[in-house]
Amino acid sequence: MIEQKEHFHGSDLEKIEKIYGIKKEDIISFAANVNPLGESGKLKTALFERIDAITKYPDREYTSLRKAIGSYCKCSYEHILVGNGCTELISLFIQITSPRETLLLGPTYSEYERDLKINGSDIKYYFLKEEKDFEIDIDDFSSNIHPSTDLVIICNPNNPTGSIITPDKLEKLLLHCKKTNTYAMIDETYIEFVPDVDELSAIPLTDKFDNLIILRGTSKFFATPGLRLGYAITGNDHILKEINTNKNPWMINSLAVVAGETMFLDEEYINRTRNLILSEKTRVKEMIESSGRFKIYPSYSNFYLLKILDENVDAHMLFERAIRQNMMIRDCSTFPGLENRFIRFCIMKPDDNTRLINCITHA
């Protein structure tokens, strides 16, 4: 087991406020990976106009919400589960499948390991290789999945590397998992930031493979981390039934239902977000490369992973330098498989991005 060190998560603004004496409202968080545009305008209007939704219990089946998600994801609403954020659905899936042995594709998000530990799973890591820019060798990865492997967890695009596994490679992996009787959980939290979601999402594979569950949420792309709205997609009727049987009733509150029925239809907001992220990623990448101070890795998400090339500087030093200027980046030394020469930051608004790049590139 790899021990996690104390670290600041992107949501730890209260902790930062206490330690550094900076008001959390004054901190620009490049560590939370949240859409810099903030919530959808249509969402704000809908919540204001339908505030009376809180006077009624939501539908236990969440049919209208699931239909809205199904339309957005181009899949059957009958294959959709909703939960109080992705975190709850991860916990429920691990609890129900009770994997004795799990293979994690690393470096990756720490919450998977937390839930696996709680459920007593033996955790093994397969680390993406830095020298290959964290791009996966799907055959080598598959060779590490055995009949004893009950579950494989993949974040796609991956956090913190930004790398992606394309659907053709995932299909190859899932075929192998069928032979070993292994479930695959794919977390698509960041998939909506890619240029073409329909081309790169694994959702169509849920029609082919019943050993697959896909997770998504609204915290990052739709900038609603406080809403706690997550959803899962699977073609496995047994898993659908078990989660629905074991979950708490009314996992989603009435306003989250209103939000989900609204935000997925806001195409202007969706397109504006993608255009901003893609254009700023290009500009920021050029600024980073021209500095000569970092290795920047290919990213399919709204953030970049950087390796510090200056031997006299480490991740904590850059974190400190940025936070003293009211900007929070992620020191990646706490991710299993990385060390203190890596940082991660997400794309924010243009002026903020420029200020951050100037901060970390001018020692």
Side-chain angles (χ1 to χ4, degrees):
M1 184 68 62
I2 297 173
E3 293 298 325
Q4 299 284 338
K5 292 180 282 186
E6 176 66 22
H7 65 281
F8 295 112
H9 185 271
S11 62
D12 287 338
L13 296 183
E14 289 81 5
K15 192 185 293 187
I16 292 289
E17 183 178 52
K18 182 178 179 180
I19 293 173
Y20 290 92
I22 304 169
K23 290 182 180 179
K24 62 182 181 181
E25 294 81 10
D26 295 336
I27 300 170
I28 301 171
S29 180
F30 289 84
N33 301 337
V34 173
N35 186 340
L37 293 180
E39 70 277 14
S40 149
K42 287 185 178 179
L43 170 59
K44 275 186 176 180
T45 301
L47 291 177
F48 177 78
E49 292 178 347
R50 296 176 61 186
I51 188 65
D52 62 341
I54 63 173
T55 65
K56 301 179 181 69
Y57 283 100
D59 167 24
R60 279 179 180 263
E61 303 298 321
Y62 296 101
T63 304
S64 62
L65 174 59
R66 287 162 55 227
K67 284 183 175 179
I69 295 170
S71 177
Y72 175 67
C73 293
K74 299 180 176 62
C75 67
S76 171
Y77 80 94
E78 294 177 339
H79 291 170
I80 295 171
L81 297 155
V82 293
N84 187 24
C86 270
T87 306
E88 181 173 47
L89 293 168
I90 290 169
S91 297
L92 279 168
F93 180 71
I94 291 173
Q95 176 188 327
I96 285 165
T97 56
S98 299
R100 291 161 299 177
E101 182 180 300
T102 302
L103 180 64
L104 285 177
L105 181 64
T108 198
Y109 180 55
S110 62
E111 285 299 307
Y112 309 134
E113 188 172 288
R114 185 187 71 87
D115 280 301
L116 291 166
K117 284 180 181 177
I118 290 171
N119 286 273
S121 185
D122 180 18
I123 303 169
K124 300 184 183 303
Y125 266 97
Y126 177 94
F127 287 107
L128 296 168
K129 295 177 175 58
E130 177 194 339
E131 59 269 23
K132 293 185 177 180
D133 288 347
F134 300 105
E135 183 177 343
I136 196 167
D137 179 332
I138 204 67
D139 293 324
D140 190 52
F141 180 53
S142 297
S143 71
N144 285 265
I145 300 170
H146 311 290
S148 61
T149 311
D150 299 304
L151 175 63
V152 172
I153 299 179
I154 297 168
C155 186
N156 199 49
N158 188 39
N159 173 21
T161 65
S163 54
I164 199 166
I165 308 175
T166 54
D168 58 319
K169 291 181 179 179
L170 287 173
E171 183 165 7
K172 192 173 184 180
L173 172 69
L174 290 165
L175 284 168
H176 178 81
C177 287
K178 286 292 285 185
K179 294 176 184 175
T180 57
N181 197 29
T182 302
Y183 279 114
M185 184 172 81
I186 299 178
D187 184 346
E188 288 195 342
T189 293
Y190 297 101
I191 197 73
E192 289 143 304
F193 290 107
V194 304
D196 190 337
V197 180
D198 293 338
E199 181 182 330
L200 292 173
S201 173
I203 287 176
L205 294 175
T206 58
D207 290 330
K208 287 181 166 184
F209 297 94
D210 64 359
N211 60 332
L212 170 65
I213 186 167
I214 293 174
L215 300 167
R216 284 194 188 179
T218 61
S219 295
K220 306 302 185 182
F221 188 84
F222 288 97
T224 56
L227 193 66
R228 307 313 305 143
L229 173 58
Y231 55 99
I233 302 164
T234 182
N236 188 308
D237 292 334
H238 172 71
I239 293 296
L240 288 165
K241 181 180 178 181
E242 285 296 304
I243 290 181
N244 279 319
T245 299
N246 287 278
K247 70 181 177 66
N248 293 319
W250 301 301
M251 294 163 73
I252 304 299
N253 66 62
S254 298
L255 289 181
V257 172
V258 171
E261 292 171 348
T262 305
M263 68 175 75
F264 296 120
L265 301 177
D266 195 345
E267 292 187 10
E268 188 275 334
Y269 170 86
I270 292 168
N271 291 331
R272 191 154 55 96
T273 296
R274 291 209 178 104
N275 290 337
L276 171 65
I277 298 301
L278 292 173
S279 63
E280 278 299 287
K281 277 182 69 178
T282 300
R283 188 179 72 89
V284 164
K285 183 172 184 286
E286 290 172 353
M287 291 180 69
I288 291 289
E289 288 177 333
S290 66
S291 77
R293 291 178 174 268
F294 302 92
K295 164 116 186 239
I296 185 167
Y297 296 93
S299 174
Y300 283 82
S301 190
N302 65 326
F303 54 77
Y304 276 119
L305 178 70
L306 306 184
K307 183 176 183 180
I308 303 163
L309 300 179
D310 186 344
E311 294 293 334
N312 297 312
V313 179
D314 63 23
H316 181 69
M317 292 169 66
L318 288 185
F319 175 88
E320 286 273 327
R321 185 186 301 165
I323 201 62
R324 299 294 180 189
Q325 297 183 37
N326 293 13
M327 295 179 289
M328 181 179 176
I329 61 174
R330 183 64 189 266
D331 172 351
C332 291
S333 61
T334 54
F335 281 97
L338 296 181
E339 29 87 5
N340 68 352
R341 309 220 55 76
F342 291 88
I343 61 170
R344 188 201 69 200
F345 67 89
C346 69
I347 299 298
M348 299 297 283
K349 292 179 179 178
D351 288 347
D352 294 328
N353 295 331
T354 299
R355 193 158 73 89
L356 177 68
I357 302 310
N358 286 335
C359 171
I360 64 173
T361 58
H362 293 83

